[in-house]
């Protein structure tokens, strides 16, 4: 599969859909317009890749809906050069969007098959992350901490302490918390290390699981 002017046209339409749904950040919209989402999906989904929908990937997991990716990325307020940790690599789409914003991206996935495939697909589209590994997101990535920003893309039953600890002063953590539906939470750490929490609506993610593999 290749990236063609037809795909670019569909991406531009997707950007318009996201603007209509309230996404404003120009840098985020530019990243959505740039990343070939169809190349991160199974070929059967290629005709639908630029609909604003989640799709199944391997191992019973999903690639997030573009609106959700854009919403979380907008809240994260990524600046070029920042260190960003993602929990739940999945297809690699969210990681690709962060990379395209100039972030140094570190991403962790608990299913081996997915992390290997995401790495391969990202390399195919010319994206080299700082780190893409296999591990348990509840532990964060202590070896590379601290991070300017942390984004969790699976439904967390609670906010893991390790993630707050691995956040720099001035940093932001965005995490969907809950069971059936999840409240999108934004946690900010000030220079004294105090945490402030705000809520940003309900979303649905696959669960963040403890690593048993
Ligand atoms: N960001 C992804 C979304 C994938 S869905 C994308 O853009 O496609 C969420 C992913 O989180 C799944 O692949 C799931 O296996 C992974 N996950 C669930 N619990 C996890 C954990 N404890 N640590 C790391 N990854 C986890």
């Amino acid at each position: 599969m290749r990236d063609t002017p037809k795909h670019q046209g569909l991406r531009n339409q997707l950007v318009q859909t996201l603007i209509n749904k309230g996404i404003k950040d120009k840098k985020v919209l530019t990243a959505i317009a740039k990343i070939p989402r169809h190349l991160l999906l199974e070929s059967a989904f290629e005709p639908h890749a630029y609909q604003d929908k989640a799709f199944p990937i391997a191992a019973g997991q999903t690639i997030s809906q573009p609106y959700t990716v854009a919403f979380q990325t907008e809240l994260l307020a990524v600046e070029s050069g920042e260190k960003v940790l993602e929990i739940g690599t999945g297809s690699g789409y969210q990681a690709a969007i962060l990379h395209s914003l100039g972030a140094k991206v570190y991403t962790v996935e608990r299913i081996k098959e997915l992390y290997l495939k995401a790495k391969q697909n990202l390399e195919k589209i010319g994206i080299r992350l700082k780190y893409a590994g296999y591990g348990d997101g509840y532990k964060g990535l202590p070896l590379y901490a601290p991070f300017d920003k942390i984004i969790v893309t699976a439904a967390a039953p609670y906010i893991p302490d390790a993630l707050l600890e691995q956040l720099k002063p001035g940093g932001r953590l965005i995490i969907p918390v809950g069971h059936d539906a999840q409240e999108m939470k934004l946690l900010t750490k000030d220079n004294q290390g105090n945490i402030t929490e705000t809520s940003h609506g309900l979303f649905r993610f696959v669960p963040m699981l403890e690593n048993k593999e």
Side-chain angles (χ1 to χ4, degrees):
M1 249 194 298
R2 292 181 307 125
D3 192 26
T4 68
K6 184 190 93 180
H7 295 112
Q8 185 59 61
L10 293 171
R11 279 201 292 280
N12 295 344
Q13 285 176 23
L14 173 61
V15 164
Q16 197 50 54
T17 302
L18 298 180
I19 292 171
N20 295 343
K21 289 186 178 179
I23 302 297
K24 292 193 179 67
D25 188 321
K26 291 251 162 46
K27 287 192 284 184
V28 173
L29 294 166
T30 303
I32 299 270
K34 198 166 138 193
I35 298 299
R37 189 175 188 245
H38 66 288
L39 298 179
L40 300 173
L41 288 168
E42 297 297 336
S43 54
F45 293 108
E46 190 254 354
H48 312 291
Y50 297 105
Q51 292 175 12
D52 188 22
K53 286 187 181 156
F55 291 108
I57 51 176
Q61 303 304 313
T62 53
I63 180 173
S64 301
Q65 185 183 341
Y67 174 73
T68 305
V69 172
F71 187 87
Q72 281 193 289
T73 310
E74 192 170 69
L75 270 180
L76 208 59
V78 175
E79 301 288 340
S80 183
E82 283 184 338
K83 270 173 78 180
V84 179
L85 172 64
E86 178 196 28
I87 306 301
T89 315
S91 67
Y93 181 62
Q94 173 72 71
I97 295 288
L98 294 168
H99 178 271
S100 137
L101 291 171
K104 296 179 184 132
V105 183
Y106 299 73
T107 183
V108 175
E109 168 59 53
R110 70 175 279 282
I111 298 176
K112 218 173 234 169
E113 178 190 355
L114 287 180
Y115 118 77
L116 290 171
K117 195 168 198 175
K119 221 166 142 165
Q120 221 177 48
N121 283 341
L122 288 171
E123 272 168 26
K124 263 193 242 161
I125 63 170
I127 291 183
R128 269 194 163 270
L129 304 180
K130 279 278 171 189
Y131 175 94
Y134 168 60
D136 180 5
Y138 280 92
K139 299 192 175 70
L141 200 56
L143 211 57
Y144 296 93
F147 298 95
D148 296 291
K149 308 279 162 70
I150 302 180
I151 174 172
V152 178
T153 66
Y158 58 89
I159 298 163
D161 287 342
L163 298 185
L164 282 174
E165 279 159 18
Q166 292 172 29
L167 202 57
K168 282 188 197 174
R172 289 176 164 229
L173 162 66
I174 175 109
I175 179 166
V177 183
H179 295 277
D180 296 342
Q182 300 90 43
E183 189 73 42
M184 191 65 80
K185 303 243 183 221
L186 170 64
L187 292 100
T188 52
K189 190 187 254 189
D190 70 14
N191 290 332
Q192 282 71 49
N194 302 312
I195 304 291
T196 309
E197 185 181 311
T198 53
S199 289
H200 300 270
L202 288 175
F203 289 80
R204 271 174 210 279
F205 286 81
V206 294
M208 181 173 177
L209 301 170
E210 306 278 347
N211 207 13
K212 296 202 180 68
E213 279 185 64

